Amino acid sequence: MFTTDMTELKYRMKIFFWVILALMMVYSIQRFVFIIYNYAEFDFSKSTNLLNVLMYGMRFDLSSVLLTNSLFAVLWFIPVLFRIQYKWYQTLLFVLFFFVNTIFVAINFIDIVYFPFVQKRIQSDALLFVTGAKGTEFYNLLPVFLFQFWFIWLTLLAVLVGLYLFWIKFVKPSFGKPSSAKFSLFPSLLLIVFFGLFILGTRGGVQLRPLSLLDAAAVGGFNNTPFILNSTFSLIRTLDKARIEEKNYVLQKDFSTCDYPFEYIQPTGDSLQKPINLVFIIVESLSQQYLSYYEGTSKTPFLDSLMKESLVFLNGFANARESVQGIPSVLASLPHLMDDPFIFSRYSSNKIESVAYILKKHQYSSAFFHGASNGTMGFLPFVTSGGFEEYFGLEEYPVKEHFDGSWGIWDHHFLPFMVDKISGIKQPFVTSVLTLTSHHPFILPKDFTLKTEIKNHPILNTIQYSDSALRIFFEKAKKTDWYKNTLFIITADHTGPNTKDQLKPMDAFRVPIIFYSPDGKLKGVEKKIMSHIDIIPTALPLMGIKDSIFSFGNNYFDKSCKKKVINYKAGIYQITNDDFHLLFDGEKSIGLYEWKKDELFGNNLILSQKHSHIVSELETQIKKSIQSYHHVLLKDKMTFDRYSIKQ
């Protein structure tokens, strides 16, 4: 029988309020621990502070708590309307409440220690680690994470015990006998109003569109977006972001040759001897700020000495924040401009044009090396579809005792192995390696002795190890017949954790980009900006290659196109030229900074009339890049042959 009991309704509303308040307190505790652990990444600027972040974050917490407890809310009030025996129903409510909230509370605690590696809150693509689509390292690393971050799991356990006691001591006693009241209009209307407010809470307010990731950047500053968000909100709001849409920001007639994703490669007058081999050395998480060449926080004597004999691009930038995004940027001139990594997106089956695909037309052999499992990060299918002929990973490495216990083969073993395998490849060749030891959990081999132990952050000691491993690689490579006829390109897949006292926003993407030729023909320092997607169109002309290629980057030495760096982070597009850095949320520009003068981004010039033309110019450029990016992914036009200027 349908009934409505006003007394019980008011009482259950009161208890439900305390349930939501308790969960809000849990989320606040999580955010506080998140900030403490990732304190070095927090941006203390004039526009925001710790109190603002905590206050703004409560809006996202409320939305997350209500959304994840929607079914619980419905079931909680059903006994007010129907006669239900409480014994079994009470058990059902407890299991639902505790199961759902344990999952999301745990995800938030996991993100406390996961965040430093990706610089964003957990999003839907992180689930690929659990399913195995990104490789099986998640299960190898799980014991390491459990041991190393025991204090986080202990805090999580304490919070879950607190929730359990809250239920037993406060919620459970609120169950009484089934209602026997007859239907009345006012309590029923009150219940309707309540659920109306509940829906408003889940969508984050009465604004036109539901609360989104972009709102966090708008209220708290771009760099503090992860601290305002919670992992529950970030995960749920990215579950439906798999499909991109065609963009029509700019008319095609307003595109210039420099705006299209292709490049005509012409040999330069000072091209190296040809045919010349090409070797990419992509060092895991090698931020510029770590290198002692840049007066950084680690010790890298070998790289320092090599850079003095190389062509160094002083203002080098990555186009991504994760390895799975960085490899396409370096090897296929494909930036990361959407939520999902290209490798795991619905567009991953598109035909792509990597550097191996391009050079195969010029009779180059090719191979890709990575010491982790062959299923890691989807690298094997990506580089294979991109034209690489051979793949050498953990499964191909002959000495299983050299496994580091977490990711794969120690770098100081795997890099010499790479030299041996390269020596068996027909010249000319293009090869690439992604190192792995400078990745979490930052473990060093037992037989490696640090010359200088740095206690600021464990990655700084593994960077010293990586520097030593590179020295071993080059010492062995020097003894081969192919060494002197090779161009080595050394960079990072992305940056690592911040290790400086103050967070400089641009450091999130600043990486070394080094061109080294043993014949000494490439030396010097270039100060203009350059990014990963510019590497291929810059290197191929130096190698004497003439071709037409698909590339979102440009030849660094081609003065006909304006230099720019494009990035995407937490729902915000970024574009940088030699003087200014613009933030664009997909609809409007929200930030403009003179990044060389204002390193901490304390002065937002977005409303300055003096700089309005800069905003307009950079916004138009990033719109063109987004528009082209979406178009080629949607239309499968990611090779020069498939791409047509006539859109």
Side-chain angles (χ1 to χ4, degrees):
M1 179 180 176
F2 184 80
T3 62
T4 302
D5 188 325
M6 184 62 180
T7 301
E8 183 172 349
L9 174 60
K10 291 170 63 176
Y11 184 65
R12 295 186 76 79
M13 283 184 174
K14 175 184 175 181
I15 299 300
F16 186 79
F17 170 80
W18 286 110
V19 168
I20 298 303
L21 184 61
L23 290 173
M24 290 285 288
M25 290 179 63
V26 169
Y27 273 68
S28 294
I29 292 171
Q30 292 168 339
R31 176 172 288 101
F32 189 68
V33 177
F34 183 90
I35 292 174
I36 292 175
Y37 187 83
N38 297 287
Y39 185 82
E41 304 294 333
F42 193 88
D43 181 11
F44 290 94
S45 68
K46 298 177 181 178
S47 59
T48 186
N49 55 50
L50 181 59
L51 181 60
N52 288 338
V53 166
L54 294 173
M55 294 299 294
Y56 291 146
M58 292 179 66
R59 184 183 180 195
F60 292 87
D61 292 347
L62 179 61
S63 175
S64 301
V65 167
L66 294 179
L67 186 61
T68 54
N69 288 276
S70 298
L71 179 58
F72 173 79
V74 173
L75 296 180
W76 177 257
F77 287 101
I78 280 182
V80 179
L81 303 175
F82 298 94
R83 293 182 179 180
I84 297 177
Q85 297 300 320
Y86 277 86
K87 190 172 182 180
W88 67 268
Y89 202 75
Q90 176 182 340
T91 302
L92 172 65
L93 286 173
F94 170 74
V95 170
L96 177 63
F97 171 83
F98 208 75
F99 177 75
V100 170
N101 288 292
T102 294
I103 290 175
F104 288 106
V105 168
I107 287 173
N108 278 274
F109 272 95
I110 290 170
D111 209 12
I112 291 171
V113 294
Y114 180 64
F115 171 77
F117 310 121
V118 295
Q119 298 294 302
K120 67 178 182 180
R121 284 285 191 165
I122 283 178
Q123 297 185 355
S124 58
D125 62 297
L127 299 177
L128 299 174
F129 280 114
V130 180
T131 64
K134 276 192 174 184
T136 59
E137 285 75 14
F138 169 79
Y139 299 100
N140 295 332
L141 289 168
L142 188 58
V144 179
F145 271 84
L146 292 175
F147 177 77
Q148 182 174 356
F149 301 113
W150 60 269
F151 52 93
I152 293 294
W153 318 133
L154 189 62
T155 307
L156 168 61
L157 180 62
V159 168
L160 294 178
V161 169
L163 276 180
Y164 175 77
L165 294 176
F166 169 78
W167 181 277
I168 297 300
K169 299 293 185 180
F170 191 77
V171 181
K172 184 178 180 180
S174 67
F175 288 88
K177 295 181 179 180
S179 172
S180 60
K182 296 182 179 181
F183 172 80
S184 59
L185 181 61
F186 181 72
S188 302
L189 291 176
L190 182 60
L191 196 57
I192 292 173
V193 171
F194 171 83
F195 275 102
L197 294 174
F198 186 96
I199 292 172
L200 283 179
T202 60
R203 70 189 307 277
V206 297
Q207 69 281 351
L208 186 61
R209 296 188 304 174
L211 202 62
S212 70
L213 300 179
L214 297 180
D215 292 309
V219 299
F222 171 70
N223 294 296
N224 285 335
T225 294
F227 298 95
I228 295 171
L229 293 171
N230 60 68
S231 306
T232 303
F233 188 92
S234 179
L235 176 62
I236 292 175
R237 295 300 184 186
T238 55
L239 288 174
D240 62 345
K241 298 297 184 181
R243 185 183 298 275
I244 60 175
E245 300 177 351
E246 190 83 61
K247 296 292 185 181
N248 295 290
Y249 292 124
V250 184
L251 296 175
Q252 289 300 316
K253 67 179 182 65
D254 295 324
F255 275 66
S256 69
T257 303
C258 295
D259 299 321
Y260 289 110
F262 62 80
E263 189 86 352
Y264 295 110
I265 300 299
Q266 294 286 343
T268 61
D270 55 349
S271 298
L272 303 170
Q273 179 185 353
K274 58 178 184 178
I276 188 168
N277 305 309
L278 179 60
V279 174
F280 287 87
I281 301 175
I282 305 171
V283 182
E284 173 68 47
S285 304
L286 187 64
S287 298
Q288 256 194 36
Q289 65 169 267
Y290 303 155
L291 296 175
S292 43
Y293 179 89
Y294 298 98
E295 298 182 355
T297 49
S298 188
K299 303 293 183 182
T300 51
F302 174 74
L303 278 175
D304 294 347
S305 63
L306 189 73
M307 293 171 77
K308 292 176 182 178
E309 303 300 322
S310 305
L311 179 62
V312 178
F313 297 90
L314 203 59
N315 286 302
F317 292 88
N319 297 105
R321 285 292 304 140
E322 298 181 62
S323 301
V324 71
Q325 305 158 356
I327 295 301
S329 297
V330 176
L331 299 182
S333 290
L334 182 66
H336 171 65
L337 293 178
M338 59 180 175
D339 290 315
D340 291 341
F342 170 77
I343 291 177
F344 297 114
S345 72
R346 62 172 65 235
Y347 312 105
S348 60
S349 61
N350 286 8
K351 185 175 178 59
I352 58 174
E353 188 172 279
S354 78
V355 65
Y357 175 93
I358 297 167
L359 290 177
K360 188 173 184 178
K361 295 181 291 182
H362 300 270
Q363 288 72 55
Y364 274 67
S365 306
S366 58
F368 182 86
F369 296 81
H370 185 45
S373 169
N374 291 11
T376 298
M377 302 288 182
F379 291 148
L380 176 56
F382 172 76
V383 299
T384 301
S385 65
F388 280 86
E389 297 169 338
E390 295 188 81
Y391 188 100
F392 296 95
L394 177 64
E395 283 74 4
E396 287 72 33
Y397 189 81
V399 186
K400 302 308 177 186
E401 290 76 14
H402 292 166
F403 180 68
D404 66 6
S406 300
W407 280 106
I409 306 302
W410 295 108
D411 289 344
H412 75 289
H413 290 305
F414 193 76
L415 289 176
F417 165 77
M418 176 185 174
V419 174
D420 291 336
K421 289 300 179 182
I422 290 178
S423 296
I425 297 175
K426 180 183 176 182
Q427 298 187 56
F429 56 73
V430 53
T431 64
S432 178
V433 63
L434 172 61
T435 69
L436 56 75
T437 306
S438 48
H439 196 289
H440 183 273
F442 310 125
I443 300 173
L444 294 173
K446 293 181 179 179
D447 57 351
F448 177 74
T449 303
L450 286 170
K451 292 183 178 180
T452 304
E453 184 175 2
I454 304 174
K455 297 182 179 181
N456 182 21
H457 194 289
I459 195 173
L460 300 180
N461 293 323
T462 56
I463 292 297
Q464 293 186 69
Y465 164 79
S466 297
D467 185 70
S468 178
L470 290 174
R471 176 183 53 79
I472 294 172
F473 170 85
F474 275 93
E475 285 178 351
K476 185 167 185 175
K478 285 179 182 179
K479 301 174 183 179
T480 66
D481 61 350
W482 50 264
Y483 176 76
K484 291 184 178 180
N485 192 40
T486 301
L487 170 61
F488 295 89
I489 297 177
I490 305 170
T491 187
D493 52 347
H494 56 78
T495 58
N498 179 51
T499 57
K500 293 185 177 180
D501 294 333
Q502 288 184 305
L503 174 65
K504 297 178 181 179
M506 296 300 288
D507 282 350
F509 292 97
R510 298 194 75 164
V511 295
I513 298 179
I514 306 162
F515 283 24
Y516 172 67
S517 176
D519 60 13
K521 290 185 178 180
L522 292 178
K523 291 179 67 173
V525 175
E526 294 290 338
K527 296 183 179 181
K528 292 186 177 297
I529 58 172
M530 183 185 186
S531 67
H532 278 160
I533 59 175
D534 300 319
I535 290 177
I536 293 175
T538 301
L540 296 188
L542 294 174
M543 296 166 58
I545 299 295
K546 181 179 181 180
D547 209 335
S548 300
I549 68 171
F550 178 90
S551 171
F552 272 90
N554 300 113
N555 183 351
Y556 177 89
F557 298 105
D558 182 359
K559 297 181 180 180
S560 64
C561 294
K562 294 182 178 179
K563 291 176 172 48
K564 65 180 184 296
V565 175
I566 53 177
N567 283 303
Y568 178 84
K569 180 182 176 183
I572 305 295
Y573 300 95
Q574 305 175 62
I575 182 168
T576 308
N577 65 18
D578 280 316
D579 299 303
F580 293 93
H581 182 78
L582 181 81
L583 306 179
F584 178 68
D585 69 5
E587 296 182 358
K588 63 183 182 302
S589 296
I590 60 174
L592 179 71
Y593 303 92
E594 288 188 274
W595 63 274
K596 290 180 180 177
K597 298 178 181 179
D598 182 16
E599 292 184 325
L600 299 180
F601 284 13
N603 184 24
N604 190 345
L605 304 172
I606 194 65
L607 299 179
S608 168
Q609 290 297 321
K610 178 182 176 182
H611 298 92
S612 59
H613 66 290
I614 300 296
V615 173
S616 178
E617 178 183 341
L618 290 178
E619 184 177 307
T620 299
Q621 287 183 4
I622 192 63
K623 283 180 176 179
K624 289 178 179 178
S625 295
I626 299 168
Q627 186 168 318
S628 294
Y629 184 83
H630 282 215
H631 180 76
V632 298
L633 262 64
L634 288 167
K635 303 298 182 182
D636 193 2
K637 294 184 176 183
M638 300 175 64
T639 68
F640 184 83
D641 293 338
R642 293 189 175 204
Y643 192 84
S644 171
I645 296 179
K646 295 182 180 180
Q647 302 292 300

